[in-house]
Amino acid sequence: MKPYEEFLARKARVPSSRGPMIDPAQINPRLFAFQRDITAWAVRKGCAAIFADTGLGKTLMQLEWARLIANPRIEVE
């Protein structure tokens, strides 16, 4: 690897996951499969933004994320 590439690799920051791992059964079944995947990812990250295109159900995903994050019964692994 070139010295500059090594320098950049040392400076790269990888965001950690701060949220709980959830069982997919905890996610509202009214969401489509892709929405459940995005919601589970956002919950796992703990602090995430959902940048979905118009009409893909951002509001439903964000409401479900808020419900799951605020649930004190979900344990962080």
Side-chain angles (χ1 to χ4, degrees), residues 25-39:
Q26 293 176 294
I27 299 175
N28 190 325
R30 293 184 65 195
L31 271 64
F32 291 111
F34 76 92
Q35 292 171 322
R36 287 192 298 270
D37 292 342
I38 292 170
T39 303

Side-chain angles (χ1 to χ4, degrees), residues 11-62:
K11 297 294 181 182
R13 293 183 181 181
V14 179
S16 62
S17 295
R18 297 184 284 174
M21 293 293 292
I22 59 167
D23 181 17
Q26 293 176 294
I27 299 175
N28 190 325
R30 293 184 65 195
L31 271 64
F32 291 111
F34 76 92
Q35 292 171 322
R36 287 192 298 270
D37 292 342
I38 292 170
T39 303
W41 169 82
V43 169
R44 190 172 52 251
K45 286 298 176 186
C47 182
I50 297 174
F51 293 109
D53 205 355
T54 303
L56 292 180
K58 288 182 294 291
T59 301
L60 291 176
M61 290 185 278
Q62 291 166 350

